[in-house]
Amino acid sequence: MRTFGLEKLGIINTGKIHRNLSPTELIEIAVQKEEGKLSKTGALVVTTGKYTGRSPEDKFIVDTQGIHDSIAWGNVNRPIEKSKFNAIYGKLVSYFQNREIFIFDGIAGADPVCRKKFRIINELASQNLFIHQLLIRPSAEELANYHSPDFTIIAAPGFKCNPKIDGTHSEAAIIIDYEAKIGIICGSRYSGEIKKSVFCVMNYLMPSMDVLPMHCSANIDPVTGKTAVFFGLSGTGKTTLSTDPNRKLIGDDEHGWSNHGIFNFEGGCYAKCINLKEKYEPEIYRAIKFGSLVENVIMDPKTRELDFKDKTFTENTRVGYPINYITNAQIPGVGGIPSVVIFLTADAFGVLPPISRLNQDAAMYHFITGFTSKLAGTERGVTEPQPTFSTCFGEPFMPMEPSVYAKMFGEKIEKYNTKVYLINTGWSGGPYGIGKRMELKYTRAMVTAALNGELDSVEYKHDDIFNVDIPQFCPNVPCEIMNPADTWENKEAYIVYAKKLAKMFQENFEKKYPHMPENVVNAGPRA
């Protein structure tokens, strides 16, 4: 039996080993093993148990001498001793004895100059299908010359840690050893942990190559070739807003910005399914077909119809599919220097403007701050929107000091004169529970106007509390919703909520970034 070099990882005496099976083969095996069932459209539907989202408290980085000084240690990047990792790893490789194993050798990074090779080792065929569709799939020639990967990730949801012995937070553990170039995922069937582990690795490796890693989606105008990137945490609309029928999708979540353009880290998309409707998100809706992996969506056992409204398992229902399932995908996923950057936020206070223009200092401020509201289901325990600040719009995935990424971002938008806008996809007319969510058609119209330059010459009004400039006109958007105060019946309540949020901005910035330049500090909201 071919071992494909697994013995070098300590994985020996296994059951049958599969390498780079086709989606069809993986689906057949997953169905035979009862990992999931096929929907009416042919998608593989699985449930992930109690882990239906990322589990931040179960994530660790191995603290070794070689990487210690480059990691931003804290509640996000928790250290674990090398000895404890070795002990867990030893039990993990023993767990694989006599077990069937699935290997996918893939690529992260559509730019050949910046790409990295990842080997993903799975216990489950369904998870191997997921990462096969999410990473870039090597050609036959590339596979023939693949040899050793740059990084290996092992996912075994059936292996559970013992917190008292292993020093973990729970039975689940997501641990990255940057020096050993190995990541392990134990106890969780949520496939997003694999995808985000790849992202964390790329975010550590890219800055040394003068590439800014970004938690963003990106698209390109097929006529002009101009590209745009969309920053935002899960649930803010990155996938939805960048999947535009009039533009080509470069990618929906993870990109790099080099000195010659941007490029997708991935070869697939991982979209939310809650309340999915073909009318509003046709590309995503139609991508749910044979070859896609659907997580935690309720399915009628007889008709095999999916109920996208049902959140019995979680609001964080998901589908993973290869990017070529999107009819207007840009393949390979590369584009030029971004002409526009859009920060997406879901403001649960309902006080931020639906769109505002940021100068360079304000762009730096909001990039560093990364404000949004955590939406229900994206993390375990989050059941309603909670205001949060996430460094660089991706703090859980950024292992290095924030200043590393912030400095690179500031230098790039200055060098290339990139326009930056802040768009609120959250609430208007009042806070969560009173106001209502911004209509998608209006947000789409604002994005289109920003990308097409239609906001370059309109009148702007300065917002003194949030220190941003609000356009007073936008094509296909009612003028009465442009200024958030106008949408509130109780204007005094608006001022109270606006100043409350502005103060939260200030307190967060003072606490987390005490050494930022004065010009950046002064560009933020003013309570």
Side-chain angles (χ1 to χ4, degrees):
M1 180 178 72
R2 292 191 65 187
T3 64
F4 303 105
L6 291 183
E7 65 277 1
K8 296 178 183 178
L9 297 169
I11 301 176
I12 58 174
N13 301 325
T14 67
K16 190 172 183 180
I17 300 172
H18 307 276
R19 178 177 182 252
N20 295 317
L21 294 185
S22 69
T24 301
E25 292 170 307
L26 289 168
I27 291 167
E28 285 178 345
I29 294 171
V31 172
Q32 289 168 5
K33 290 177 171 289
E34 298 185 340
E35 293 178 22
K37 295 182 178 181
L38 295 182
S39 74
K40 183 178 180 179
T41 62
L44 180 63
V45 182
V46 301
T47 56
T48 64
K50 70 178 183 180
Y51 293 93
T52 57
R54 289 186 301 103
S55 191
E57 293 185 347
D58 294 310
K59 179 172 167 281
F60 300 89
I61 295 174
V62 180
D63 189 0
T64 57
Q65 186 176 355
I67 62 105
H68 180 81
D69 292 337
S70 61
I71 302 296
W73 301 108
N75 292 331
V76 172
N77 298 310
R78 294 177 172 84
I80 190 169
E81 297 172 12
K82 178 72 172 180
S83 59
K84 289 188 181 296
F85 173 76
N86 288 344
I88 297 170
Y89 186 80
K91 289 185 282 188
L92 174 62
V93 296
S94 296
Y95 173 83
F96 275 108
Q97 291 192 26
N98 300 315
R99 293 184 186 274
E100 201 167 3
I101 288 179
F102 301 88
I103 299 172
F104 174 64
D105 288 328
I107 292 170
D111 185 339
V113 178
C114 307
R115 63 180 34 175
K116 295 294 179 182
K117 296 180 293 182
F118 281 80
R119 166 164 284 191
I120 313 297
I121 299 170
N122 294 105
E123 171 188 5
L124 299 179
S126 54
Q127 285 198 323
N128 198 248
L129 169 70
F130 170 84
I131 201 62
H132 178 284
Q133 305 294 49
L134 262 289
L135 286 183
I136 296 170
R137 296 154 289 281
S139 65
E141 182 181 355
E142 287 171 328
L143 273 179
N145 298 305
Y146 197 89
H147 305 307
S148 59
D150 296 304
F151 217 93
T152 299
I153 294 175
I154 304 171
F159 174 76
K160 303 184 188 307
C161 296
N162 184 329
K164 291 183 179 179
I165 296 174
D166 297 325
T168 58
H169 178 261
S170 73
E171 65 186 25
I174 302 92
I175 310 175
I176 296 177
D177 187 334
Y178 285 109
E179 268 201 305
K181 300 179 181 179
I182 291 175
I184 62 174
I185 300 167
C186 313
S188 174
R189 282 184 174 232
Y190 179 65
S191 294
E193 297 286 17
I194 308 173
K195 163 191 162 68
K196 290 305 184 185
S197 292
V198 172
F199 189 32
C200 289
V201 172
M202 292 294 280
N203 291 345
Y204 180 77
L205 298 176
M206 289 294 101
S208 64
M209 303 174 68
D210 199 22
V211 173
L212 171 65
M214 304 180 293
H215 184 210
C216 70
S217 57
N219 61 27
I220 184 171
D221 188 309
V223 177
T224 66
K226 290 185 177 181
T227 63
V229 296
F230 301 76
F231 284 92
L233 298 185
S234 182
T236 56
K238 290 195 318 299
T239 300
T240 300
L241 293 168
S242 56
T243 308
D244 183 334
N246 298 314
R247 296 171 68 89
K248 286 198 165 189
L249 180 70
I250 297 175
D252 80 326
D253 198 43
E254 302 165 6
H255 294 79
W257 184 344
S258 72
N259 290 325
H260 53 273
I262 59 172
F263 60 94
N264 192 357
F265 285 169
E266 303 179 294
C269 302
Y270 193 38
K272 292 193 77 172
C273 292
I274 194 69
N275 297 322
L276 181 65
K277 294 180 181 178
E278 186 175 16
K279 176 181 177 181
Y280 298 116
E281 299 171 87
E283 293 281 6
I284 299 172
Y285 188 92
R286 295 165 192 163
I288 301 177
K289 58 185 180 180
F290 188 79
S292 297
L293 180 78
V294 176
E295 288 182 327
N296 300 315
V297 175
I298 298 295
M299 181 172 67
D300 187 295
K302 291 184 179 180
T303 65
R304 300 296 179 96
E305 294 271 3
L306 295 172
D307 185 352
F308 298 115
K309 299 187 298 296
D310 195 320
K311 53 185 178 182
T312 298
F313 292 133
T314 177
E315 283 209 26
N316 191 38
T317 51
R318 294 273 180 171
V319 58
Y321 50 87
I323 197 166
N324 54 281
Y325 279 17
I326 300 295
T327 55
N328 63 336
Q330 171 82 353
I331 301 174
V334 296
I337 300 296
S339 58
V340 174
V341 167
I342 291 176
F343 297 149
L344 298 169
T345 182
D347 169 30
F349 287 95
V351 292
L352 281 178
I355 183 170
S356 51
R357 184 179 62 188
L358 306 179
N359 61 27
Q360 184 182 333
D361 291 338
M364 283 281 290
Y365 183 97
H366 286 278
F367 174 71
I368 296 165
T369 301
F371 168 73
T372 191
S373 301
K374 284 182 182 176
L375 298 185
T378 55
E379 289 183 8
R380 297 181 68 217
V382 178
T383 56
E384 63 179 39
Q386 298 177 0
T388 188
F389 297 90
S390 183
T391 304
C392 306
F393 289 93
E395 188 170 351
F397 323 118
M398 302 294 183
M400 305 179 82
E401 288 292 338
S403 58
V404 173
Y405 308 110
K407 183 173 182 290
M408 294 183 74
F409 177 76
E411 290 172 347
K412 289 184 182 298
I413 61 171
E414 180 181 19
K415 180 178 180 179
Y416 302 113
N417 196 29
T418 302
K419 299 172 187 174
V420 184
Y421 293 90
L422 177 67
I423 291 183
N424 175 22
T425 64
W427 282 259
S428 176
Y432 172 79
I434 297 176
K436 63 178 183 178
R437 194 80 191 259
M438 190 69 61
E439 289 192 42
L440 179 60
K441 64 180 180 180
Y442 295 148
T443 301
R444 283 195 184 279
M446 294 175 211
V447 169
T448 298
L451 299 184
N452 293 344
E454 294 174 297
L455 301 179
D456 292 351
S457 57
V458 301
E459 178 188 354
Y460 280 81
K461 177 182 178 182
H462 189 74
D463 186 298
D464 292 330
I465 295 178
F466 293 108
N467 203 15
V468 295
D469 294 317
I470 306 173
Q472 298 303 287
F473 172 80
C474 180
N476 302 311
V477 178
C479 291
E480 55 266 26
I481 73 167
M482 299 302 289
N483 299 294
D486 296 341
T487 66
W488 284 55
E489 290 186 13
N490 187 330
K491 300 299 188 288
E492 291 182 358
Y494 166 79
I495 296 296
V496 170
Y497 274 85
K499 289 188 174 182
K500 180 180 179 180
L501 179 56
K503 187 176 182 180
M504 291 176 65
F505 268 96
Q506 290 179 327
E507 291 175 346
N508 172 76
F509 209 84
E510 289 170 3
K511 178 182 177 181
K512 294 172 70 173
Y513 320 110
H515 305 299
M516 284 292 167
E518 187 176 354
N519 60 305
V520 176
V521 176
N522 292 338
R526 300 164 178 169

